[in-house]
């Protein structure tokens, strides 16, 4: 299918679901995970059990988080984030399922009730035992001086950014919403994900199995390309720059 045909079909649909990965934020200066220079090419992931049981693992983990937290102070959404927000403004967005923890989709104006953050958010820190939330600012300021986060002042539990680590259970409500949107999607558009992490990568398959038109916009090949109705192999900024003019009537 050509871009013009995809745009013609997309223009008429109102139950569009976007599914994004770290690739949509690289043009804002946030590194993804698996491209050259990505997070997992520079840090080894800290699994949830390691984080809970080992002080050395927690030190390693917070060092990695400090790098991205510094970034978040200045990063701004890019044309990809704003283009998705425009779908909501046109009344076409059924929902946005993101694996990203950078909060750039809501910063670009997508209503929070339209966003599901499957892997949580780096914009909050909470206690693993009582779930009390803490302002990340002072915690990262002390980390810059080499001071690790103190135990929770309410229950003595461990503090952790509110993201989902490997081996940590997925957020139940978020998974339920993502499942509902994937089953109801008329068009399901993957943007900037390598589609190698489960269970997140099952949602495009669920959408396709329930009759959605499936599109994949990504620089590198993904395991689901063969089942997509439309593939754009290139930069996300370029994709939306080509697509957006084709969506406006006239
Ligand atoms: N334009 C198009 N595609 C891009 C761009 C860009 N500007 N930048 C990166 N990409 C593509 C890369 O080709 C890559 O396939 O985005 C994809 C990003 O893949 P990953 O780095 O694997 O990120 P993601 O798919 O979001 O990872 C899923 O893995 O470690 C976990 O929790 C983490 O949420 C993350 C999950």
């Amino acid at each position: 299918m050509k871009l013009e045909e995809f745009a013609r079909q997309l223009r008429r649909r109102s139950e569009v679901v976007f599914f994004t990965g770290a690739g949509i934020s690289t043009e804002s200066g946030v590194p993804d995970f698996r491209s050259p220079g990505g997070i997992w090419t520079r840090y080894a992931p800290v699994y949830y059990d390691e984080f809970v049981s080992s002080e050395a693992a927690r030190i390693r983990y917070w060092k990695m988080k400090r790098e991205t937290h510094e970034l978040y102070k200045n990063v701004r959404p890019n044309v990809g984030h704003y283009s998705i927000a425009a779908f909501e403004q046109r009344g076409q967005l059924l929902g946005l399922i993101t694996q990203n923890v950078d909060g750039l989709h809501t910063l670009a104006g997508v209503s929070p009730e339209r966003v599901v953050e499957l892997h949580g958010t780096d914009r909050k820190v909470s206690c693993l035992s009582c779930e009390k939330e803490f302002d990340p600012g002072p915690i990262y300021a002390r980390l810059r001086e080499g001071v690790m986060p103190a135990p929770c002042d309410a229950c003595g539990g461990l503090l952790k950014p509110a993201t989902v680590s490997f081996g940590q259970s997925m957020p139940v409500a978020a998974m339920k919403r993502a499942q509902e949107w994937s089953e109801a999607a008329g068009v399901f558009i993957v943007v900037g994900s390598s589609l190698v992490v489960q269970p997140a990568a099952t949602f495009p398959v669920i959408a396709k199995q329930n009759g959605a038109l499936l599109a994949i916009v990504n620089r590198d090949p993904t395991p689901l390309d063969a089942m997509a109705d439309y593939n754009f192999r290139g930069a996300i900024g370029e994709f939306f720059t080509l697509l957006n003019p084709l969506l406006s009537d006239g």
Side-chain angles (χ1 to χ4, degrees), residues 1-132:
M1 183 187 288
K2 291 257 174 285
L3 179 66
E4 290 71 14
E5 170 56 18
F6 176 60
R8 200 181 58 73
Q9 299 213 25
L10 191 51
R11 209 175 17 234
R12 294 182 288 114
R13 307 301 291 260
S14 59
E15 64 301 344
V16 177
V17 174
F18 278 94
F19 176 95
T20 62
I24 197 170
S25 298
T26 57
E27 291 173 43
S28 292
V30 181
D32 66 12
F33 292 92
R34 295 174 179 83
S35 295
I39 299 279
W40 299 146
T41 67
R42 290 180 284 120
Y43 296 95
V46 174
Y47 280 65
Y48 184 69
D49 290 347
E50 289 177 284
F51 181 89
V52 170
S53 57
S54 149
E55 172 76 8
R58 286 195 289 277
I59 291 169
R60 214 160 33 89
Y61 179 87
W62 282 105
K63 185 170 176 298
M64 172 184 74
K65 282 296 175 182
R66 266 181 56 192
E67 176 192 318
T68 40
H69 188 79
E70 285 305 308
L71 266 179
Y72 291 157
K73 288 197 191 103
N74 323 307
V75 291
R76 303 298 307 144
N78 63 54
V79 63
H81 300 101
Y82 289 118
S83 299
I84 292 174
F87 274 82
E88 181 182 15
Q89 287 141 26
R90 289 194 299 267
Q92 288 189 279
L93 186 70
L94 173 60
L96 165 61
I97 304 165
T98 188
Q99 300 170 96
N100 299 344
V101 295
D102 56 31
L104 287 176
H105 284 300
T106 34
L107 270 181
V110 184
S111 315
E113 67 272 13
R114 284 260 169 260
V115 181
V116 151
E117 292 177 312
L118 282 182
H119 295 156
T121 175
D122 246 343
R123 302 264 174 182
K124 288 182 191 143
V125 172
S126 53
C127 171
L128 291 179
S129 304
C130 71
E131 297 183 2
K132 177 178 176 182

